[in-house]
Amino acid sequence: MSAGHALLGLLAEGERHGYDLRRQYQRRFPAAKPLAAAQIYATLDRLLRDGLVVAGATERVGGPDRTIFTVTAQGRAELQRWLSQVEVPSEYVANLLSMKVILALLVADDGAAADFLRRQREAHLARMREHTRVKSDPGADLLRVVAADYALNHLDADLRWIDATLQRVTQLAKEIRP
Amino acid sequence: MTTTTSQSPSDSTTGAVLAARSLVKSYGNSPALRGVSLSAARGDVLAITGPSGSGKSTLLLCLAGILSPDAGEVRFGGARIDTESEARRSALRRREFGVLFQFGQVVPELTAQENVALPLLLSGVRRREAMTAARSWLDRFGVADLAKQRPPQMSGGQAQRVAVARAMVTEPEVLFADEPTGALDSLAGEQVLGQLMRVARDGGTTVLLVTHDAKVAAYADREIVIRDGMVDGDAEDAGRPTTSVGQHRIHR
Ligand SMILES: Nc1ncnc2c1ncn2[C@@H]1O[C@H](COP(=O)(O)OP(=O)(O)OP(=O)(O)O)[C@@H](O)[C@H]1O
Ligand SMILES: [Mg+2]
């Protein structure tokens, strides 16, 4: 998982300083593990170094200085590339998928999110076919069958979530960006 | 089985065993199919998925010649079947098609063996021969010991295996299955399905498998998603006449 892309996505929605970014991360991705402040700043440094964001004005709100970060054109291009890139289906990609959908709704629209979900669905089903082929082989021993079943059930759970989200993506878009 | 169609079931121009073009079907005023086109080559295993009420069962019934579409055409081996008389369609179904639905497919008054023998008897096979074949198909699906029992004495899973044996006993060219494992708990259902798919693939049977379950769809070679009576991704073609069969989006 790339915290860098998540922050890039949140900054693409609107420029922010680090503290605000951390709060926004929790608000937008309530199921994700909160990011530590140090992790936020280390990630922002990396985005700065790679030219994906730029540091702007520094605000002072009572406490420490706060620098506003803004996404560059290069940053937006990288974000678009990442958002439309189908994830290699492994057993635990669900949270990443949900993050991509939320970010796609924030920085693009429900059409983009739906397109991603459809293509991800195909990738998941293709992987499920592979596991099914393995376990359908008349020579497959039970150990293989059981292992394939484990993977199949996890992929199936993702896929059910994809289908349910596809059906509600327009509604979700309205809620996220009224 | 030796019939002229089963020796050359593919359309010589498209290679499709079964093809539908721009199928439209309404129940009263409510449209269930709004222009569905698809084609299946010999031995293809095709999953038909989509939300509840999207038209999957209606599509399958039209393809199997059980329902007549309001518009569009269905071809088997290149020949129109939707315009045939009911008598000829039902003869075709007996000879070339196997059907497998979730509910109500075994005759409760007949034994398992008689149930499986029935499609052969209806197409004129002699009783002794039909009963012997039925026995071996029950055996293939692991329920030979139920041969003399009647469905009311069987579990849901056992009755389902009998129904599967009956659908395959004629070694059909095309198998139509609508939620075939829907009535079973998952492990038993999966085992029946796995066995059925092996038998179908070994025999080169073309399978159209309606399911809402991705684990079932994963047994297929490809998937067609139906939404609101249309093939998903075909919406932009809806108003235009379809010029080539099988323009639908295929998820491989
Ligand atoms: N015999 C019927 N009379 C009237 N309307 C029907 C009939 N059969 C189906 N319909 C309607 O046609 C539409 C398509 O139904 P169909 O049974 O083909 O959907 P489905 O995709 O198989 O759904 P499910 O996944 O729930 O089985 C639905 O709106 C349904 O209400
Ligand atoms: Mg149905």
Side-chain angles (χ1 to χ4, degrees):
Chain A
M1 211 313 272
S2 159
H5 286 104
L7 296 191
L8 204 52
L10 294 178
L11 289 175
E13 189 200 358
E15 54 178 32
R16 306 173 185 285
H17 50 68
Y19 176 77
D20 203 10
L21 201 50
R22 189 174 170 208
R23 268 199 331 215
Q24 191 67 355
Y25 186 90
Q26 265 166 271
R27 176 166 160 244
R28 292 301 193 191
F29 312 125
K33 186 178 169 202
L35 291 180
Q39 202 177 348
I40 298 257
Y41 290 105
T43 305
L44 283 170
D45 278 345
R46 196 157 46 74
L47 295 176
L48 273 172
R49 186 201 62 205
D50 294 344
L52 303 178
V53 302
V54 288
T58 300
E59 279 178 2
R60 169 164 289 187
V61 195
D65 287 353
R66 281 173 181 168
T67 307
I68 303 276
F69 294 91
T70 310
V71 179
T72 62
Q74 198 190 333
R76 281 187 191 273
E78 170 57 22
L79 181 65
Q80 289 307 337
R81 188 199 61 75
W82 181 76
L83 285 179
S84 63
Q85 179 193 321
V86 163
E87 295 297 324
V88 175
S90 72
E91 275 112 64
Y92 304 107
V93 293
N95 189 41
L96 179 53
L97 303 190
S98 118
M99 232 178 223
K100 279 197 172 184
V101 168
I102 294 165
L103 289 170
L105 292 176
L106 286 172
V107 303
D109 56 18
D110 54 341
D115 182 59
F116 164 72
L117 283 168
R118 286 214 175 82
R119 290 186 300 117
Q120 188 67 52
R121 187 182 194 287
E122 287 171 33
H124 266 61
L125 198 53
R127 177 57 59 86
M128 288 177 77
R129 281 190 200 107
E130 283 170 27
H131 287 298
T132 302
R133 222 168 285 135
V134 167
K135 78 173 204 177
S136 301
D137 183 338
D141 52 30
L142 193 53
L143 198 67
R144 266 172 182 271
V145 172
V146 167
D149 274 341
Y150 181 86
L152 276 162
N153 281 298
H154 281 80
L155 289 162
D156 186 48
D158 282 1
L159 208 137
R160 282 167 200 261
W161 174 86
I162 290 173
D163 280 339
T165 308
L166 257 174
Q167 285 184 35
R168 296 183 292 194
V169 71
T170 306
Q171 207 183 323
L172 184 63
K174 288 192 187 120
E175 191 172 309
I176 286 184
R177 229 172 39 169
Chain B
M1 303 200 89
T2 47
T3 60
T4 40
T5 38
S6 69
Q7 278 160 4
S8 56
S10 301
D11 185 329
S12 54
T13 52
T14 65
V17 167
L18 192 76
R21 207 170 81 164
S22 309
L23 287 183
V24 173
K25 177 74 188 174
S26 296
Y27 297 102
N29 284 331
S30 61
L33 298 178
R34 303 190 294 149
V36 173
S37 300
L38 62 83
S39 70
R42 184 163 201 278
D44 251 359
V45 179
L46 202 71
I48 299 173
T49 65
S52 182
S54 57
K56 306 181 294 294
S57 297
T58 305
L59 173 60
L60 205 67
L61 292 170
C62 287
L63 293 173
I66 296 167
L67 271 184
S68 295
D70 302 334
E73 42 181 76
V74 179
R75 286 175 188 271
F76 172 71
R80 290 279 294 261
I81 62 169
D82 55 291
T83 45
E84 291 282 7
S85 68
E86 169 52 31
R88 293 189 63 163
R89 276 188 286 150
S90 88
L92 179 76
R93 283 201 299 274
R94 278 202 304 273
R95 274 200 325 266
E96 309 285 1
F97 296 168
V99 291
L100 191 55
F101 297 129
Q102 187 175 353
F103 300 111
Q105 39 205 341
V106 283
V107 183
E109 292 81 10
L110 299 181
T111 65
Q113 194 172 4
E114 288 164 341
N115 260 290
V116 177
L118 196 57
L120 293 176
L121 293 170
L122 289 174
S123 33
V125 175
R126 281 205 309 275
R127 185 174 168 87
R128 259 186 67 170
E129 218 178 299
M131 291 297 270
T132 308
R135 178 97 202 176
S136 83
W137 280 93
L138 285 170
D139 195 29
R140 277 182 98 157
F141 288 102
V143 282
D145 51 333
L146 299 178
K148 300 284 174 263
Q149 284 190 42
R150 284 168 227 278
Q153 282 95 57
M154 296 175 200
S155 73
Q158 290 168 336
Q160 191 70 9
R161 283 170 193 264
V162 172
V164 168
R166 194 178 66 174
M168 294 304 293
V169 71
T170 59
E171 300 180 34
E173 196 59 44
V174 185
L175 174 69
F176 297 92
D178 195 344
E179 303 283 3
T181 58
L184 303 185
D185 78 72
S186 62
L187 188 58
E190 277 234 44
Q191 284 169 347
V192 179
L193 184 69
Q195 228 161 345
L196 174 60
M197 289 301 137
R198 254 197 301 280
V199 169
R201 286 187 191 277
D202 288 351
T205 297
T206 303
V207 181
L208 281 90
L209 183 60
V210 166
T211 182
H212 63 267
D213 185 341
K215 285 194 283 180
V216 172
Y219 278 90
D221 306 315
R222 59 195 175 104
E223 177 190 42
I224 288 179
V225 183
I226 305 289
R227 275 180 218 283
D228 295 329
M230 283 188 286
V231 175
D232 194 26
D234 259 7
E236 63 273 19
D237 300 331
R240 281 186 265 140
T242 316
T243 46
S244 76
V245 173
Q247 284 186 331
H248 55 281
R249 170 150 152 195
I250 292 170
H251 306 276
R252 212 175 252 281

